[in-house]
Amino acid sequence: MKAVYVLNGPNLNLLGVREPATYGTQTLADIEARLKTRCQAHGLSLTFRQSNQEGDLVTWIQEAGAAGIPVILNAGAYTHTSIALHDAIRASSAKVIEVHLSNVHAREDFRHHSMISAVAAGVILGFGALSYDLALEALIAQSQTTKS
Ligand code: DQA
């Protein structure tokens, strides 16, 4: 593993001010800075992106899949609705770790189903911003084990 993509979906640009009781006070820039430091320590290049457009996420997943780069994906609300993201992961064979800040299973019913989980390599949720760090640690640990 030489590179990692971290892709963020709708409304995650508002992290830090958006419902802090649910999502915490760290901004997306805070998370990016921390993951960048960790990636640098492991000689990994980090591509960190956010979009409110579903199609952007589809394009970036395809891009990562074609390049064989694993993806840490917080698809936001598209998690619960997007057949297009499900298909993009399948079609591109991208290795995706699904992450959520909140424990979606402890929230509204409409958040209990994920279109991503069935095609994800793993799912980490409910640890706030730390969910991203844990996903990165999982990818690093796996790559050290498998030397892929
Ligand atoms: C989220 C959970 C989703 O249900 C929600 O729509 C989000 C954020 C999370 O990180 O907890 O936008 O993905």
Side-chain angles (χ1 to χ4, degrees):
M1 182 172 75
K2 297 201 165 36
V4 179
Y5 271 36
V6 179
L7 302 179
N8 296 279
N11 300 307
L12 291 165
N13 53 313
L14 299 178
L15 270 190
V17 290
R18 173 192 183 196
E19 301 177 72
T22 302
Y23 297 117
T25 52
Q26 288 183 39
T27 65
L28 209 53
D30 293 334
I31 296 170
E32 178 177 5
R34 214 175 42 248
L35 266 59
K36 190 165 210 154
T37 302
R38 191 77 182 125
C39 280
Q40 276 167 354
H42 283 269
L44 297 169
S45 102
L46 174 67
T47 298
F48 194 102
R49 294 177 181 156
Q50 187 275 333
S51 177
N52 293 324
Q53 315 296 327
E54 189 176 16
D56 287 342
L57 296 166
V58 168
T59 299
W60 296 337
I61 288 166
Q62 290 180 4
E63 191 180 287
I69 297 171
V71 178
I72 295 169
L73 174 64
N74 185 350
Y78 290 140
T79 303
H80 315 298
T81 60
S82 180
I83 299 169
L85 289 181
H86 176 105
D87 283 354
I89 296 166
R90 277 185 110 116
S92 66
S93 300
K95 176 176 182 175
V96 169
I97 310 291
E98 176 183 354
V99 300
H100 301 285
L101 297 125
S102 63
N103 177 359
V104 290
H105 300 293
R107 300 181 63 196
E108 303 96 324
D109 286 354
F110 62 81
R111 295 186 205 277
H112 293 180
H113 181 71
S114 166
M115 303 300 294
I116 312 294
S117 299
V119 285
V123 182
I124 297 173
L125 56 88
F127 294 96
L130 187 61
S131 294
Y132 288 79
D133 304 69
L134 295 171
L136 180 58
E137 290 312 314
L139 284 174
I140 291 169
Q142 266 192 339
S143 79
Q144 285 170 346
T145 307
T146 59
K147 295 278 175 238
S148 62

